[in-house]
Amino acid sequence: MTELLNQEIYKFILVFLRIGAAIMFMPGFSASYVNARQRLSIALAVAVVLVPFLNSQLPPQPTDTLAAIKVYLFEVTYGIFFGLIMQILFSALSLCGNFIGQAIGFSNAQIFDPAFQTQSIVVETFLSLLALTVIFVTDTHHLMLSAVIDSYTLFPVGTPLPIEDFSDFMSQTLNQSFIMGFKIGSPFIAFSIIFYVGMGLVSRLMPQLNIFFLSLPLQIYLGAGLLLITTPIMILWFIKYYEEGLERFVR
């Protein structure tokens, strides 16, 4: 009975380590307004539910203590990697918000962003909070948890860490996130180019006009109007990209 109990505790710890490490870095769960105790409580509840379903995929407890510690470290590393990949996918919206803030003249209007736990442009914070709200309303966070659960098939417990595959996949994800952030923010990049070219032509045609006094209010009004029109499209585009990134991650 004692041996059986030790085996079950060992399997629970394995699941809890991977799930808990991933949740500590997942978008939304890793926000500053969700403290570490709440994150670990969520991980604990998820691990309790998952252990019976993953029982056949979990190895027996090793007799060597060093071997057990090695497996524990592997599981924590797997969880951190999965959480970081989801955070990198989410960072595409941060780059997009940075483009928008620069384009509409809000580059100096900064506020604390709880999603990334840094000072960021107010538009960037607005978009990240809006995206997190849509993720949880549409149950996309279930897809994040499913990606971690499906990883037990892709990366069985106790297997060596595929460092080369991890680094290659992370570099590809970073590249794709940058490209997607550029694509989502492309209307504002085009707006910025057209606006500054137009203001340059006006200043050359009417030198007596105070172009700096005119350009900033016009830039803010036109940029805010464009943001109002394009925000739903940007968020839907980002959510689709995020879901496809998670599906590609588990394949």
Side-chain angles (χ1 to χ4, degrees):
M1 186 65 182
T2 303
E3 184 178 354
L4 179 61
L5 183 60
N6 289 336
Q7 287 285 349
E8 294 302 319
I9 293 175
Y10 172 74
K11 292 179 179 179
F12 170 78
I13 292 175
L14 289 179
V15 176
F16 176 74
L17 288 176
R18 184 179 294 197
I19 297 294
I23 287 179
M24 293 295 288
F25 290 91
M26 281 183 185
F29 296 100
S30 63
S32 59
Y33 45 77
V34 182
N35 59 45
R37 181 178 298 178
Q38 292 172 331
R39 299 176 210 171
L40 293 177
S41 298
I42 296 172
L44 181 67
V46 174
V48 169
V49 174
L50 289 180
V51 168
F53 297 97
L54 298 174
N55 192 43
S56 60
Q57 303 181 35
L58 300 176
Q61 183 179 8
T63 56
D64 187 7
T65 304
L66 292 178
I69 294 175
K70 182 180 179 181
V71 175
Y72 292 156
L73 293 177
F74 281 176
E75 290 303 295
V76 172
T77 305
Y78 278 126
I80 292 174
F81 173 76
F82 302 146
L84 288 178
I85 288 295
M86 297 175 195
Q87 198 69 255
I88 291 172
L89 290 171
F90 193 80
S91 66
L93 202 62
S94 175
L95 180 63
C96 171
N98 198 284
F99 285 150
I100 295 173
Q102 298 286 342
I104 67 178
F106 281 1
S107 58
N108 292 326
Q110 297 192 355
I111 191 173
F112 179 75
D113 188 349
F116 295 99
Q117 303 184 38
T118 56
Q119 287 289 118
S120 60
I121 299 173
V122 63
V123 179
E124 182 181 340
T125 304
F126 167 71
L127 289 178
S128 64
L129 291 177
L130 184 59
L132 281 177
T133 302
V134 174
I135 284 174
F136 281 92
V137 168
T138 58
D139 290 336
T140 307
H141 62 290
H142 293 171
L143 190 59
M144 293 192 289
L145 294 174
S146 297
V148 181
I149 296 169
D150 291 342
S151 69
Y152 283 96
T153 303
L154 189 61
F155 304 105
V157 177
T159 55
L161 296 173
I163 303 299
E164 294 183 1
D165 293 339
F166 277 6
S167 58
D168 183 60
F169 187 81
M170 184 168 288
S171 63
Q172 291 179 8
T173 306
L174 278 169
N175 182 50
Q176 292 168 358
S177 294
F178 179 82
I179 294 173
M180 181 53 62
F182 187 85
K183 287 181 178 179
I184 296 175
S186 56
F188 292 88
I189 297 174
F191 164 77
S192 180
I193 294 172
I194 295 171
F195 180 81
Y196 284 117
V197 169
M199 289 296 102
L201 291 175
V202 171
S203 66
R204 298 298 292 178
L205 294 173
M206 302 178 63
Q208 70 277 13
L209 182 65
N210 189 344
I211 194 65
F212 294 104
F213 182 78
L214 174 66
S215 62
L216 185 58
L218 189 61
Q219 181 182 15
I220 293 174
Y221 285 134
L222 292 178
L226 182 61
L227 180 64
L228 181 65
I229 295 172
T230 58
T231 295
I233 301 173
M234 290 190 298
I235 295 298
L236 289 176
W237 195 358
F238 169 76
I239 293 298
K240 182 180 179 181
Y241 156 75
Y242 195 73
E243 291 178 349
E244 290 176 350
L246 291 175
E247 292 172 357
R248 183 176 64 252
F249 171 61
V250 298
R251 286 201 296 264

